[in-house]
Amino acid sequence: GEVIDLMGVRIGVSICEDLWTDRDLLPRQLYHIEPIDRLAKAGAQVIINCSASPFVLRKQELRVQLLRNTARRHHLPVIYGNQVGGNDELVFDGNSCAVNAQGELIAHARAFEPDLLVFDLDHAEVELPRIARPEGEMESAYHALVLGLRDYMRKCGFKSAVLGLSGGIDSALTCALAVAAVGKENVRGVSMPSRFSSGHSRDDAADLAKRLGIAYHSVAIEDAHQSFEEMMQPHFKGLPLDATEENIQARIRGVILMAFSNKFGSILLTTGNKSELAVGYCTLYGDMAGGLAVLSDVPKTLVWKLSRWINESPHSPLRQQYGGPVIPDSSIAKVPSAELRPNQTDQDSLPPYDQLDNIIERYVEREHSARQIVEDTGYSPDLVLRVVQLIDRNEYKRKQAAPGLKITGRAFGFGRRVPIAQRYDSRRSIQHPDWPILPV
């Protein structure tokens, strides 16, 4: 940082993480020095922080507390100006604000959009400055995803988007966010039913498209799937049906969606969520095919919460625009299923999503060991080990996944770099005489 003289006022200019040195709030320190302390000792009368701070859920409350503590510690006003817009995986949320020397919030600009806010540090009590309405967690997540998607498309030169509509909640939420980002006239949905697709899945996909007013196509994949099975049958003779045949369906759908993408010049949006990506419950070159993974940092439990917020909150822009819910209730309420075999549900292969997401959050974002997760949650060791080993083993899929939008403290890809070729043995962190040991 540096102190400059501007019209007789000595301004201490700091950059982004110069503020993040509060040992009471931040156990992990970035610096061995105190940049703001140096500016204060150099005679600064006001601190300005020029920031490019990416959005993370619940981060703004921490930022404001950092500003308050910094102002009180140095008895100086602090002005925080943050960037707005999407840049690949990162979303910058604005939320610029100012506190006085007593640590009181005196001005707060809007989130997720450019804003101009004028205030007077010397006479704040004379003319009250604007303080933007605080956004809740769901509202912030919604605006971050919409802004990130809109800017990614705009900066990459895409004017339209296409995605597969299964009738499930992940594709429904992705579609709703796409409409919010670029408008219904620029979004195309494709239903690709197979012999295992339920009637309600087809109906829910069509219902969503009708509610949102997007272009909608239905391309049945049964003939193509049957042709692939007949083509491969001589080579697979005597072998039982397994995930091979299931994945062929997903890859047929990937081919069809890429055809729509190529023909109309649209970006293909993948619809998988963070929970699936974490444990590899997704198909390479199938449902993972695409240019942007909108929900890749959104756990399944958050997918449901955000979908309900879009439908029910008076602050939901889509509810306001359409005059009511836009996502079919049946898509939210139904038991999740990939519908790649008869009567399939996600819980045939995965733990309940509340438990799965809790383990993923602790292991990936908090960097807890398997033993610590067992001790903190009371979950069975074999459950925790199974999830942790799935996360470790599926790094090869994530390395080949589309880039995604980051909204949590640790997203796959940009924020988590681990090798594919490794032999992590999670049992070593969890061994106990009374706990079962899973094979590596």
Side-chain angles (χ1 to χ4, degrees):
E2 183 177 350
V3 176
I4 60 174
D5 192 291
L6 181 62
M7 301 178 65
V9 179
R10 291 186 58 77
I11 298 174
V13 179
S14 59
I15 304 296
C16 204
E17 65 266 19
D18 289 350
L19 277 177
W20 296 73
T21 58
D22 191 321
R23 297 182 183 276
D24 295 331
L25 294 176
L26 305 167
R28 182 181 296 178
Q29 293 295 299
L30 299 175
Y31 296 158
H32 296 296
I33 61 173
E34 293 280 354
I36 306 301
D37 185 56
R38 290 191 172 192
L39 294 174
K41 289 179 178 177
Q45 296 172 284
V46 60
I47 302 295
I48 293 181
N49 184 258
C50 305
S51 191
S53 179
F55 170 78
V56 172
L57 288 170
R58 299 176 295 277
K59 187 178 183 180
Q60 181 60 11
E61 294 86 345
L62 177 59
R63 289 184 187 139
V64 173
Q65 193 58 51
L66 279 171
L67 297 177
R68 292 180 187 275
N69 289 4
T70 300
R72 290 166 182 158
R73 185 164 57 249
H74 299 290
H75 307 290
L76 293 173
V78 181
I79 301 172
Y80 170 81
N82 191 34
Q83 180 172 294
V84 179
N87 185 8
D88 286 358
E89 295 101 331
L90 299 181
V91 180
F92 299 94
D93 55 307
N95 272 312
S96 300
C97 51
V99 298
N100 62 20
Q102 291 74 47
E104 299 167 331
L105 183 67
I106 60 172
H108 196 303
R110 296 187 180 94
F112 302 105
E113 61 179 288
D115 196 9
L116 175 63
L117 183 57
V118 179
F119 57 93
D120 190 331
L121 286 172
D122 294 325
H123 305 286
E125 74 285 352
V126 176
E127 183 177 343
L128 291 177
R130 173 164 49 83
I131 296 181
R133 178 182 61 81
E135 295 185 335
E137 183 176 346
M138 291 305 102
E139 186 173 4
S140 294
Y142 169 86
H143 285 294
L145 293 168
V146 169
L147 176 59
L149 172 55
R150 179 188 297 128
D151 271 15
Y152 189 86
M153 288 181 59
R154 178 177 61 85
K155 293 178 180 180
C156 292
F158 288 103
K159 292 182 171 59
S160 62
V162 62
L163 74 161
L165 296 182
S166 67
I169 190 56
D170 297 320
S171 61
L173 175 58
T174 304
C175 188
L177 293 170
V179 168
V182 296
K184 63 183 181 182
E185 67 278 8
N186 297 311
V187 178
R188 187 181 305 273
V190 184
S191 170
M192 294 163 288
S194 76
R195 75 189 72 157
F196 304 120
S197 298
S198 61
H200 62 75
S201 291
R202 305 181 197 196
D203 293 343
D204 290 342
D207 185 18
L208 175 77
K210 183 177 180 180
R211 291 182 186 216
L212 291 171
I214 65 169
Y216 177 68
H217 308 263
S218 181
V219 182
I221 68 167
E222 178 55 35
D223 289 346
H225 186 203
Q226 190 170 15
S227 295
F228 269 99
E229 288 184 327
E230 292 173 354
M231 182 169 53
M232 300 306 297
Q233 194 276 332
H235 309 285
F236 293 165
K237 190 174 182 179
L239 298 175
L241 298 177
D242 57 17
T244 305
E245 286 75 20
E246 295 182 25
N247 289 341
I248 286 174
Q249 296 173 75
R251 289 175 178 136
I252 291 171
R253 291 183 171 119
V255 170
I256 292 171
L257 290 171
M258 282 306 305
F260 276 95
S261 173
N262 294 157
K263 184 62 68 176
F264 295 101
S266 304
I267 186 172
L268 173 55
L269 304 178
T270 69
T271 60
N273 59 62
K274 186 174 188 176
S275 309
E276 297 168 344
L277 194 61
V279 297
Y281 196 66
C282 45
T283 304
L284 276 173
Y285 327 119
D287 58 307
M288 292 179 68
L292 183 68
V294 180
L295 303 181
S296 66
D297 199 32
V298 183
K300 185 73 170 189
T301 49
L302 185 55
V303 168
W304 279 313
K305 291 179 183 177
L306 185 53
S307 299
R308 292 188 181 98
W309 181 89
I310 287 174
N311 272 0
E312 299 169 6
S313 173
H315 299 300
S316 165
L318 284 172
R319 180 180 175 85
Q320 295 170 6
Q321 177 182 347
Y322 286 91
V326 295
I327 297 175
D329 289 337
S330 52
S331 291
I332 299 175
K334 71 174 61 175
V335 176
S337 171
E339 293 193 326
L340 297 176
R341 64 174 183 265
N343 303 314
Q344 182 183 28
T345 69
D346 290 4
Q347 260 60 72
D348 295 339
S349 306
L350 301 176
Y353 275 114
D354 58 341
Q355 296 180 16
L356 177 62
D357 287 352
N358 192 14
I359 295 171
I360 293 170
E361 193 268 337
R362 290 170 180 272
Y363 186 65
V364 175
E365 296 184 40
R366 301 193 211 175
E367 299 179 346
H368 288 181
S369 68
R371 174 184 285 276
Q372 187 175 356
I373 295 172
V374 169
E375 292 173 347
D376 289 349
T377 64
Y379 297 157
S380 67
D382 58 340
L383 167 64
V384 173
L385 277 173
R386 182 160 69 94
V387 173
V388 165
Q389 289 176 338
L390 283 171
I391 295 172
D392 291 341
R393 291 173 179 172
N394 281 283
E395 186 61 29
Y396 78 99
K397 284 190 177 182
R398 293 188 289 271
K399 282 290 195 297
Q400 300 177 73
L405 303 174
K406 180 181 185 296
I407 66 167
T408 72
R410 180 70 57 83
F412 292 118
F414 182 85
R416 186 178 186 269
R417 301 291 186 185
V418 299
I420 297 173
Q422 42 80 10
R423 292 284 293 174
Y424 296 144
D425 186 354
S426 302
R427 298 174 303 174
R428 294 175 181 173
S429 74
I430 201 171
Q431 282 181 339
H432 186 282
D434 300 325
W435 293 350
I437 298 300
L438 298 183
V440 176

